[in-house]
């Protein structure tokens, strides 16, 4: 699309009205992760062709709360933080494609529009939600410390219904903050056809991951997770059969593009 | 994309988590329209290939506030109105393609996620905003009447900055509620390429319009419009050089698909 | 408090920063009412001295959803509708004082700050909530009509938990839109003492009601009501034992002050 | 007010629906302070009897942005952080009463209802606003560090108009994070009379301050501050004549009551 500027809608003469600027995109955030196992069939049903279940631990799920500050290369958003800060909750499973294991985000909610746009670009199926998670702070009057015993709560609501909540009590430093979201993402990106009943106008499978990643000391802990039913959500189908673990970690991330794994047409998936 | 259900993201086994269901989509709403002329060059700069300016009155602009209730064929959303109601403000110009005049939405803000999704599907460049407009009511203690002298205010803010406001004073019944948004829409739909610096992975020009339209008695009136600068918006470039008119009208609309006017590649626009 | 201007906080030299201006206050709105009976003991426990239960039908409760536009005498708020429009859900019971029957609002949620302030002034125990109700519209594509069969939904959420929802199906015109909220209000107004553990610094029982009231044709209908538990709400204690009726009515109201029924000290109530 | 439980509205049988529980109240937060001088007459006009201007530097003003997490003694709110977290922007001046210098908050905006309620109890004239400030983070991809050169932005909007913004660039560790908010508060608490045109039903001057305070290393820096006009605010009257300084500090606070300095009647102020 030539003649106008801007990475995403709206494209204009100047390019400054675009909801998001071009990558790279930068993120500093706090991640609270709950990993658990569900019925592997409930994961498999969420994997469209050409994906298949992960060969090992196919029922593993991660639900991750993230409290983010983000910006583009200009860093302009940081000084106008309504354009920089957002909260996010996302649900990740694993899958396989051409012999490799990938992570895949199946559900994700954020509370800002620029976060929806960056997500859709990366194949994250973003919707708006109300997301909250306890923040650590050096002063403990009204905050947990990043130390054994520190307690963190996390909640997610959408369309005025609470759909998930978790409580994590830190126990000890850990090697990682989970494994389910530890692979590059394999996401579908698509645009429904504009004509009534038409197949997708565009569909592809992409691979995407961080260009840079820095993480602080991960903490592991005991965690409770509750999922609630909603007529507009299917998260509760991923029933919590067995908790694997809970984790906390502060991270810095740069995202700077992905790659196409497969173009998809009506007959290919 | 086979194997999962749902019109838009996220596609799942059940299809009920999809942010929006399939068309047709139904709307009942109140429209407050301000039409004015700006420098035709400021409109032309917003028209990417293969579009060109409208042959007549190329500088005509409409900014339209809409207070909507909406639903899908199931009408389920009406009884859970957080999923049905939203407010919208959008800016429309006209253009030409292959000898026909089209309308084109260049900027648009809504306050719900399902409205963003339906918009992106139709090529409306949606962002989130805070939109308000005075509502008429049979009891005048705190409401205007749809009658001569009735005064309606409308405001739009985005990223914590007010970017437009209008005051409309109804004067008399009118034939129409404006002309700028009176043609089928010619919109670009695109998906940026996933690889760093890549061209768009998908781009097309579509034609889109209501499958059904019912409107009440239009009212015309005197109107003031103010546009404000913002680092994240370019609306104020469409300076108000000459007011054409202000209008109010209640409508019922059904949208049920559009059609592709042209597929676009890097070399075609 | 002399020397500064303004009806409520903040009082200033100019008076224009005050969250609300002086009465009279004007309202145009749509009311969806559900009346039901609960255990009279659950109503009685909400009536502090010097109130006692209503002599007849002491277990009657109304939960009322209201979609309001409001303003002060200047009507300035109407043209800046972010300052005028709000949604409200409130729960009313009846009580008795000195031989007269009064209505009393025991719980109430709104979504704007000026509505909290006007409420606190009138002794309504206001909190913030997310409130939605279906709106009627002349065009039925995505709206019910104010006619037999018209279906209206109403929902209430607070602190990211849905706490009430109702569905009303209109059946026929009716004489009234309920009786529970039909009396002047008997409300307590109080200010907790500032010292640690101190009794209230101020407390009084007031009588309050509309200075003017206009209502359209009431409609009665079949209604379902569901109340949900929340750790921050006690609404669900008013269990729905028997539905009395559901109603819809459009109204215009003016409020212009109340009167003190009794000043209260630590020993008087 | 006997017979029902709860610190604030609504008082009920159980006490758990009360918008706020009893003090003590606990806070952990990040404060960004801008101190400047305005015309002393603009401060004096905001000081009602029995207050008078501070004897020294009577035109000094602080505007403080705060990113808080808060809770009551039960700490329950921390694990349901929608009930715990809020952002705040407040404007403080100094004054004198009976020979002592006090701080006084003249304007304050928050984004949660429990914060409004705790504020009103302490005589803070709270309104709702949209408040944002850059957060420091150990990972600098999208965050400043608490170190020389770290840049922090802060913004405040109310009723869909941006009314203040600041940019602070840290320069060096400092002794304090300002002086204007360094005294106990002298606040008026009042309840307007319920009858039309009546004087206040209750008014008193209170003294209030932290029961406990812990602060991290203050940082001083260069700061820009812009105030904008709004028909519903008078903040812009406190024009920025001379910047005194900008500061950043993380703090932990406990508030556990204040004391009455003077009861006020119509004739006393």
């Amino acid at each position: 699309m030539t003649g106008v500027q801007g990475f995403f809608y709206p494209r204009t003469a100047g390019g400054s009205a675009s909801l998001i600027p071009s990558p790279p995109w930068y993120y500093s955030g706090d991640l609270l992760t709950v990993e658990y196992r569900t019925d592997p069939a409930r994961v498999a049903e969420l994997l469209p062709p050409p994906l298949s279940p992960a060969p090992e631990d196919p029922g593993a799920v991660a639900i991750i709360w993230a409290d983010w500050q983000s910006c583009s290369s200009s860093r302009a958003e940081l000084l106008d933080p309504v354009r920089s800060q957002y909260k996010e909750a996302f649900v990740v499973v694993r899958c396989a494609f051409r012999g490799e294991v990938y992570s895949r985000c199946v559900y994700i909610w954020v509370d800002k529009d620029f976060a929806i746009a960056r997500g859709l670009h990366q194949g994250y199926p973003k919707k708006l939600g109300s997301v909250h998670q306890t923040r650590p702070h050096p002063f403990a009057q009204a905050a947990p410390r990043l130390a054994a015993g520190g307690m963190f709560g996390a909640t997610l609501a959408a369309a005025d219904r609470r759909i998930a909540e978790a409580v994590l009590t830190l126990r000890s430093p850990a090697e990682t903050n989970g494994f389910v979201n530890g692979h590059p993402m394999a996401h579908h990106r698509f645009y429904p056809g504009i004509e009534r009943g038409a197949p997708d106008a565009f569909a592809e499978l992409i691979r995407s991951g961080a260009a840079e990643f820095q993480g602080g000391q991960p903490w592991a802990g005991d965690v409770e997770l509750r999922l609630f039913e909603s007529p507009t959500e299917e998260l509760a189908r991923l029933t919590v059969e067995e908790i694997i673990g809970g984790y906390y970690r502060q991270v810095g991330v740069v995202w700077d593009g992905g790659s196409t794994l497969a173009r998809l047409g009506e007959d290919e998936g």
Side-chain angles (χ1 to χ4, degrees), chain A:
Chain A
M1 191 179 163
T2 60
V4 284
Q5 309 286 334
F7 183 73
F8 196 66
Y9 297 99
R11 286 180 175 170
T12 62
S16 58
S18 182
L19 181 49
I20 47 174
S22 303
W25 299 324
Y26 303 81
Y27 306 79
S28 298
D30 302 340
L31 307 182
L32 186 155
T33 301
V34 184
E35 295 198 328
Y36 69 96
R37 289 183 180 98
T38 192
D39 177 350
R42 294 288 172 93
V43 173
E45 71 185 17
L46 292 173
L47 304 178
L51 304 175
S52 47
E56 289 181 31
D57 219 347
V61 181
I63 177 165
I64 304 173
W65 274 265
D67 193 349
W68 291 117
Q69 197 161 260
S70 63
C71 64
S72 60
S73 302
S74 75
R75 294 178 79 82
E77 301 88 342
L78 293 186
L79 299 182
D80 192 13
V82 62
R83 298 162 46 196
S84 167
Q85 295 170 345
Y86 68 106
K87 295 190 171 72
E88 181 169 71
F90 55 114
V91 181
V92 182
V93 298
R94 285 144 61 255
C95 58
F97 175 68
R98 291 184 184 157
E100 285 204 56
V101 174
Y102 292 86
S103 298
R104 182 180 175 86
C105 176
V106 290
Y107 302 121
I108 178 166
W109 298 263
V110 292
D111 57 10
K112 290 281 172 70
D113 55 354
F114 56 82
I116 292 178
R118 286 191 309 229
L120 294 180
H121 177 63
Q122 300 172 52
Y124 284 89
K126 293 209 174 177
K127 301 201 287 188
L128 280 182
S130 180
V131 184
H132 292 82
Q133 84 189 63
T134 315
R135 185 180 308 159
H137 196 266
F139 294 100
Q141 277 77 0
R145 289 260 176 72
L146 274 177
M151 293 184 70
F152 293 77
T155 67
L156 164 66
D160 276 4
R161 286 185 176 88
R162 185 167 289 214
I163 58 179
E165 53 188 30
V167 177
L168 169 66
T169 306
L170 302 185
R171 207 179 46 232
S172 63
E175 289 291 317
T176 75
N177 61 320
F179 72 97
V180 177
N181 195 35
H183 307 272
M185 313 308 289
H187 283 165
H188 284 73
R189 307 194 318 156
F190 63 88
Y191 223 123
I194 191 62
E195 302 211 13
R196 228 179 158 259
D200 290 332
F202 164 70
E204 67 175 357
L205 180 70
I206 64 156
R207 170 198 170 106
S208 166
E212 287 179 39
F213 176 87
Q214 276 185 289
Q217 172 65 58
W219 280 82
D222 302 310
V223 69
E224 312 162 20
L225 175 68
R226 285 175 292 280
L227 306 179
F228 306 105
E229 294 282 349
S230 161
T232 52
E233 304 296 344
E234 295 173 59
L235 171 57
R237 284 184 68 77
L238 297 173
T239 55
V240 182
E241 300 300 321
E242 176 194 352
I243 293 282
I244 297 173
Y247 310 92
Y248 196 90
R249 192 178 194 187
Q250 295 186 299
V251 301
V253 181
V254 180
W255 188 87
D256 197 18
S259 58
T260 301
L261 291 176
R263 288 296 295 244
L264 304 171
E266 195 176 354
D267 49 302
E268 297 163 86

